[in-house]
């Protein structure tokens, strides 16, 4: 059973083949409510909308074809409140018919990643985020109670393969958590040094995964992914791009931490949302702003990937 579980591939997220086929046939329109899908526009607007529909269909079809033969790994970085931008990334992936077969999360990314691996949709995760006072989750007991409410008790209860990344203290060695108790694994991945005591698992003192692996592209690859989509909300890439520097450029790379360079190398698609200041307080409009930033960055990165592969 375990070997079957770890051989999960693209499209095996617990939905029927018919349901997945129907979802991918639907066209996402640029007008109307942001979350609404429809097969065609109203009759009165149909002629005027045909070019837009054709472009949308070609984009969706091309993206599905591009990733159809790949086992997609989704790597979600740490980043505190900025990690809620991962919800927008999940929204964009769903809109393009892309279902990750493997998910790896560090710190805040482990929270969103575990929820996705448990079969939660981006809409459900947004609703959970809207009803949560996120500063409370800096407390380990509060975070584990949160996980107990919204997640299975163990990794075995997840619908997709998932790993949470923690850092061993004091060596700062990366520890990949993939089995056993799930709430304590997420808690360890989010245990901010100086603010939290280490989480003890199997005799190891574990703290925030950002100590060793802030963007878990390499663990996602090692899980079996043949294509890694990395969502980086650390802010490094977005700041560099804001001042006209590409983080993957050789002249820039040499100044980056070694672990971050390895993460960039392992990512096939790098998504680096530009988080607005309002997103640093993820309540109400701030939450929507940070989710929108993640979605916009993911759509742009996927579009660029499609163009490069054309």
């Amino acid at each position: 059973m375990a070997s079957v579980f770890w051989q999960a591939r693209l499209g095996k997220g617990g939905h029927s083949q018919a349901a997945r086929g129907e979802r991918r046939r639907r066209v996402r329109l640029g007008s109307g409510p942001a979350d609404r899908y429809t097969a065609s526009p109203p009759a009165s607007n149909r002629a005027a909308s045909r070019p837009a529909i054709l472009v949308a269909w070609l984009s969706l079809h091309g993206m599905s074809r591009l990733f159809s033969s790949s086992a997609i790994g989704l790597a979600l970085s740490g980043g505190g409140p900025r990690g809620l931008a991962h919800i927008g990334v999940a929204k964009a992936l769903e809109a393009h018919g892309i279902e990750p077969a493997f998910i790896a999360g560090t710190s805040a990314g482990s929270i969103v990643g575990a929820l996705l691996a448990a079969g939660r949709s981006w809409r459900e995760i947004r609703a959970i985020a809207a009803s949560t006072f996120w500063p409370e989750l800096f407390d380990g007991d509060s975070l584990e109670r949160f996980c107990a409410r919204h997640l299975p008790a163990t990794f075995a209860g997840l619908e997709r393969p998932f790993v949470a990344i923690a850092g061993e203290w004091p060596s700062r060695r990366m520890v990949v958590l993939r089995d056993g108790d799930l709430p304590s694994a997420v808690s360890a991945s989010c245990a901010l040094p100086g603010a939290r005591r280490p989480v003890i698992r199997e005799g190891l003192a574990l703290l925030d995964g950002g100590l060793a692996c802030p963007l878990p592209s390499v663990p996602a690859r090692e899980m079996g992914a043949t294509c890694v989509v990395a969502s980086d909300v650390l802010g490094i890439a977005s700041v560099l791009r804001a001042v006209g520097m590409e983080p993957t450029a050789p002249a820039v790379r040499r100044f980056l931490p070694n672990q971050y360079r390895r993460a960039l190398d392992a990512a096939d698609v790098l998504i680096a949302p530009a988080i607005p200041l309002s997103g640093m307080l993820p309540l109400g409009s701030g939450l929507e702003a940070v989710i929108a930033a993640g979605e916009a960055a993911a759509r742009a990165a996927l579009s660029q990937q499609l163009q490069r592969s054309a």
Side-chain angles (χ1 to χ4, degrees):
M1 181 63 71
S3 62
V4 173
F5 181 73
W6 282 95
Q7 289 169 4
R9 287 296 183 263
L10 179 64
K12 296 185 180 179
H15 304 288
S16 70
Q17 292 287 348
R20 286 198 300 274
E22 176 59 28
R23 182 169 65 251
R24 292 177 182 176
R25 283 194 292 271
R26 290 181 291 188
V27 177
R28 186 177 180 86
L29 301 179
S31 59
D35 301 334
R36 182 172 297 167
Y37 291 81
T38 180
S40 62
S44 60
N45 298 328
R46 192 168 297 158
S49 300
R50 281 173 185 162
I53 293 174
L54 179 60
V55 170
W57 184 85
L58 288 173
S59 175
L60 180 60
H61 177 71
M63 197 67 65
S64 296
R65 183 177 60 186
L66 176 63
F67 289 106
S68 62
S69 61
S70 302
I72 306 298
L74 180 60
L76 304 178
S77 79
R82 297 189 302 274
L84 294 172
H86 296 318
I87 302 173
V89 171
K91 178 181 179 181
L93 293 179
E94 180 185 304
H96 284 86
I98 300 170
E99 297 184 25
F102 306 99
I103 302 174
T106 293
S107 196
S110 74
I111 300 176
V112 177
L115 289 166
L116 289 170
R120 300 277 193 170
S121 70
W122 70 265
R123 292 179 181 84
E124 290 175 303
I125 301 174
R126 181 177 67 178
I128 291 171
S131 63
T132 300
F133 183 60
W134 288 90
E136 290 183 351
L137 301 189
F138 283 105
D139 174 73
D141 290 338
S142 296
L143 177 55
E144 293 199 24
R145 286 195 296 269
F146 169 90
C147 292
R149 285 196 303 272
H150 301 293
L151 294 171
T154 67
F155 281 81
L158 295 172
E159 295 185 8
R160 302 180 193 179
F162 166 73
V163 297
I165 308 302
E168 183 186 10
W169 185 258
S171 70
R172 295 176 176 252
R173 178 179 65 89
M174 180 177 71
V175 177
V176 179
L177 303 173
R178 64 178 81 245
D179 53 33
D181 185 78
L182 183 57
S184 70
V186 173
S187 180
S189 185
C190 297
L192 195 65
R196 290 269 312 275
R197 293 179 179 178
V199 174
I200 307 301
R201 280 179 58 108
E202 300 179 8
L204 299 177
L206 303 177
L207 285 172
D208 194 292
L211 289 172
C213 181
L215 178 62
S217 304
V218 173
R221 179 79 65 187
E222 292 174 345
M223 293 173 76
T226 58
C227 178
V228 175
V229 177
S231 178
D232 176 13
V233 299
L234 294 166
I236 299 174
S238 59
V239 168
L240 289 172
R241 286 172 174 163
V243 296
M245 294 188 290
E246 178 58 42
T248 55
V252 177
R253 280 173 47 86
R254 60 179 180 157
F255 295 106
L256 300 175
N258 182 60
Q259 58 190 13
Y260 188 62
R261 290 200 303 269
R262 291 187 64 218
L264 293 178
D265 290 341
D268 297 288
V269 180
L270 178 64
I271 300 169
I275 310 297
L277 287 177
S278 61
M280 297 305 293
L281 184 62
L283 301 171
S285 61
L287 173 62
E288 295 305 319
V290 74
I291 292 175
E295 180 184 8
R299 287 182 177 277
L302 291 171
S303 177
Q304 290 171 7
Q305 182 71 14
L306 182 61
Q307 291 172 10
R308 286 194 294 268
S309 303

